[in-house]
């Protein structure tokens, strides 16, 4: 019975990794769609968000059923509750990628991004995708150092975000109010996406004693160890 219980905890971690990888791919494809005015790609990103929503709903149902059946306490309770919070972060990240794609669709066949800001938006999109890939890796490995790297990367995203506003406030801005609104929204979408990736990583790890992690290739469940055994010097809330 307990083995089945721990397998369910592990499966929750696997679902979180899948969600992170899906939303990471979505923000990358949405960035291409917004820069290239690619309507087909934008529609693909918009449609794919349904899969993320389905995964979140399935994860919530499994977690609630687990709480009802097993009534976990202490570390295991934190695992389940933290997983629910992480799934909400990831679902919201998917929504933000979808917002980028919807803006691309709205402005088609034009692009919402002026040519002189293409490189900045491209870099923000690539950074957002890397952040989410690292968040997925943190879920799997419980790597505290990697989690701290996400915070440093988030600082870089904040710098890109501020640079957009510097362009918008420049007296030489010549692209009009509508484009200024579009760029403002895009900057906010990427900045919030990065914040959610950092939030996921922070929820996974913190200094402290826990048992050893899962076998290679197996995702750790959010909030705690997947396997029960030796103790190591890192833990998860």
């Amino acid at each position: 019975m307990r083995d089945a219980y721990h397998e369910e905890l592990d499966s929750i971690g696997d679902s979180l990794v899948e969600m992170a990888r899906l939303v990471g791919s979505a923000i990358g494809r949405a960035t291409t769609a917004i820069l290239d005015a690619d309507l087909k790609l934008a529609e693909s990103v918009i449609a794919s968000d349904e899969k993320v929503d389905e995964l979140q709903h399935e994860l919530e149902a499994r977690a609630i059923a687990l709480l009802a059946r097993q009534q976990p306490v202490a570390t295991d309770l934190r695992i389940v509750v933290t997983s629910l919070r992480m799934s909400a972060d990831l679902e919201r990240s998917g929504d933000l990628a979808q917002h980028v794609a919807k803006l691309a669709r709205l402005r088609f066949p034009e692009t919402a991004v002026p040519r002189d800001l293409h490189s900045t938006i491209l870099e923000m999109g690539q950074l957002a995708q890397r952040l989410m890939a690292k968040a997925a890796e943190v879920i799997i490995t419980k790597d505290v150092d990697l989690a701290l790297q996400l915070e440093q990367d988030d600082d870089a995203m904040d710098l890109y975000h501020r640079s957009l506003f510097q362009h918008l406030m420049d007296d030489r801005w010549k692209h009009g109010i509508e484009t200024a609104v579009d760029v403002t929204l895009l900057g906010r979408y990427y900045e919030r996406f990065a914040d959610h990736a950092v939030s996921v990583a922070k929820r996974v790890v913190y200094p402290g004693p826990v048992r050893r992690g899962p076998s290679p290739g197996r995702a750790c469940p959010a909030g705690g160890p997947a396997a029960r055994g030796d103790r190591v010097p890192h833990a998860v809330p």
Side-chain angles (χ1 to χ4, degrees):
M1 177 66 73
R2 298 300 294 178
D3 286 343
Y5 169 55
H6 293 146
E7 286 180 5
E8 288 188 71
L9 290 179
D10 290 344
S11 74
I12 288 175
D14 293 341
S15 293
L16 290 169
V17 171
E18 184 178 0
M19 289 181 69
R21 288 172 174 166
L22 285 173
V23 300
S25 172
I27 197 66
R29 290 182 293 122
T31 301
T32 299
I34 198 76
L35 294 176
D36 295 349
D38 188 329
L39 181 59
K40 184 177 180 180
L41 185 58
E43 295 283 10
S44 172
V45 173
I46 294 166
S48 67
D49 188 56
E50 183 176 344
K51 175 62 175 177
V52 176
D53 293 341
E54 289 175 358
L55 282 170
Q56 188 201 18
H57 296 153
E58 291 171 2
L59 188 152
E60 286 180 346
R62 295 205 313 272
I64 291 170
L66 198 62
L67 289 171
R69 289 197 311 271
Q70 301 290 344
Q71 299 181 354
V73 296
T75 298
D76 286 346
L77 178 60
R78 290 196 299 272
I79 292 172
V80 179
V81 172
T82 301
S83 296
L84 289 169
R85 292 173 177 167
M86 290 167 63
S87 72
D89 278 319
L90 293 168
E91 188 276 334
R92 183 56 184 151
S93 298
D95 288 345
L96 291 164
Q98 187 183 59
H99 292 340
V100 175
K102 285 183 174 180
L103 185 56
R105 182 176 65 181
L106 178 65
R107 299 300 176 216
F108 181 82
E110 304 298 327
T111 177
V113 182
R115 179 60 58 181
D116 52 327
L117 289 178
H118 268 220
S119 62
T120 300
I121 295 299
L122 176 61
E123 289 165 357
M124 292 178 81
Q126 291 174 340
L127 179 56
Q129 191 169 7
R130 289 198 302 273
L131 276 161
M132 194 56 73
K134 288 182 180 180
E137 189 66 20
V138 170
I139 296 171
I140 295 170
T141 64
K142 299 287 197 289
D143 188 329
V144 174
D145 291 334
L146 185 59
L148 293 175
Q149 285 181 27
L150 265 78
E151 293 197 54
Q152 296 173 357
D153 291 340
D154 187 46
D155 290 341
M157 183 67 81
D158 291 340
L159 289 175
Y160 285 131
H161 193 207
R162 284 197 291 271
S163 75
L164 288 180
F165 280 101
Q166 291 172 354
H167 277 89
L168 294 172
M169 299 301 293
D170 195 308
D171 291 338
R172 293 169 292 179
W173 177 262
K174 58 184 178 182
H175 304 292
I177 294 174
E178 182 178 85
T179 301
V181 172
D182 289 346
V183 170
T184 300
L185 289 172
L186 282 173
R188 181 60 173 165
Y189 297 154
Y190 287 114
E191 189 265 340
R192 289 300 299 143
F193 187 99
D195 286 346
H196 284 299
V198 172
S199 178
V200 167
K202 282 183 174 180
R203 293 187 194 281
V204 174
V205 293
Y206 75 95
V210 297
R211 305 177 185 108
R212 64 180 173 82
S215 59
R218 186 67 167 164
C220 298
R228 273 54 189 175
D230 298 336
R231 298 170 72 84
V232 296
H234 298 119
V236 182

